[in-house]
Amino acid sequence: MRKWFQNLSDAMVDRLVPKAEAAAAVQCWTEQVCSRTMIPMCHQTGFRSLATRRVCSDGTSTWLGSQCANCTL
């Protein structure tokens, strides 16, 4: 019985370790995109805004914010 639990424990560790290593390998960076907006306070920039988001190599992204900007579309 003890050997069976040891084998079960080893099997669980073998399954979890690659996932933990893969999660540690995810890299993230920040992207900014200029876009048109209808936000009234951006009228001085020609209704353009700079959207910022965090993008990761695992395909996830998180919107961080947006601000009025004199940017090029």
Side-chain angles (χ1 to χ4, degrees):
M1 186 71 149
R2 181 179 218 147
K3 181 71 173 168
W4 183 84
F5 277 116
Q6 182 64 40
N7 289 340
L8 178 62
S9 175
D10 290 346
M12 291 176 67
V13 168
D14 289 343
R15 288 185 182 174
L16 294 175
V17 168
K19 291 179 183 177
E21 288 173 353
V26 174
Q27 295 180 350
C28 298
W29 58 92
T30 302
E31 289 183 355
Q32 293 183 319
V33 178
C34 183
S35 61
R36 292 224 178 258
T37 182
M38 293 307 297
I39 299 172
M41 65 184 184
C42 291
H43 73 279
Q44 292 179 339
T45 62
F47 293 98
R48 290 176 295 201
S49 68
L50 196 59
T52 305
R53 66 184 183 144
R54 181 176 172 89
V55 182
C56 297
S57 60
D58 64 355
T60 60
S61 65
T62 305
W63 182 76
L64 298 176
S66 187
Q67 63 185 31
C68 301
N70 285 317
C71 54
T72 304
L73 294 171

